[in-house]
Amino acid sequence: MSMVVRFLVPGLLAVSGVAQAMPDQLLRDHQAARTARAEGRILPLREIERRVVPQVRGAQYLGFDYDPDRGIYTLKFLRDGAVIWVDVDARTGQITGRSR
């Protein structure tokens, strides 16, 4: 058991450093979205979802990413084992791109 712990713990610690970088970026993106929404520059996420989710019939909505530099929400869906990415202009709610 101690042999497993000796090898497992350093690996987990190394991975945790990488994992920490991701939440930091997500936090910055979240803050940018909140600020833009508070200033009236973008639509609320719930409004974007209300408009877009029904257009992707037969797919399970997984969540979103926000790119503050482009002002784009990317909504993620799953249909038949394939991920579908839908880019949406955060200011207008219009779909600007779609995979698959």
Side-chain angles (χ1 to χ4, degrees), residues 3 7 20 28 34 41 54 60 74 85 92 98:
M3 184 83 130
F7 289 105
Q20 181 61 38
R28 283 192 295 277
R34 285 183 63 132
R41 292 185 284 128
Q60 176 186 1
T74 300
W85 305 85
T92 65
R98 181 177 177 162

Side-chain angles (χ1 to χ4, degrees), residues 8-96:
L8 185 60
V9 170
L12 290 173
L13 291 174
V15 170
S16 70
V18 172
Q20 181 61 38
M22 288 177 55
D24 290 346
Q25 181 61 45
L26 292 175
L27 180 60
R28 283 192 295 277
D29 291 351
H30 176 75
Q31 291 293 357
R34 285 183 63 132
T35 300
R37 172 62 194 120
E39 293 172 354
R41 292 185 284 128
I42 65 172
L43 293 171
L45 174 62
R46 298 301 169 235
E47 177 63 19
I48 300 273
E49 292 171 333
R50 186 188 67 74
R51 294 178 184 191
V52 176
V53 171
Q55 294 184 43
V56 189
R57 292 182 182 92
Q60 176 186 1
Y61 177 55
L62 300 176
F64 71 96
D65 288 323
Y66 176 67
D67 182 343
D69 297 328
R70 295 175 37 218
I72 297 288
Y73 278 109
T74 300
L75 279 60
K76 296 177 274 189
F77 298 86
L78 183 65
R79 180 190 299 138
D80 300 327
V83 176
I84 302 167
W85 305 85
V86 179
D87 291 335
V88 182
D89 185 310
R91 295 175 307 268
T92 65
Q94 298 296 311
I95 294 174
T96 61

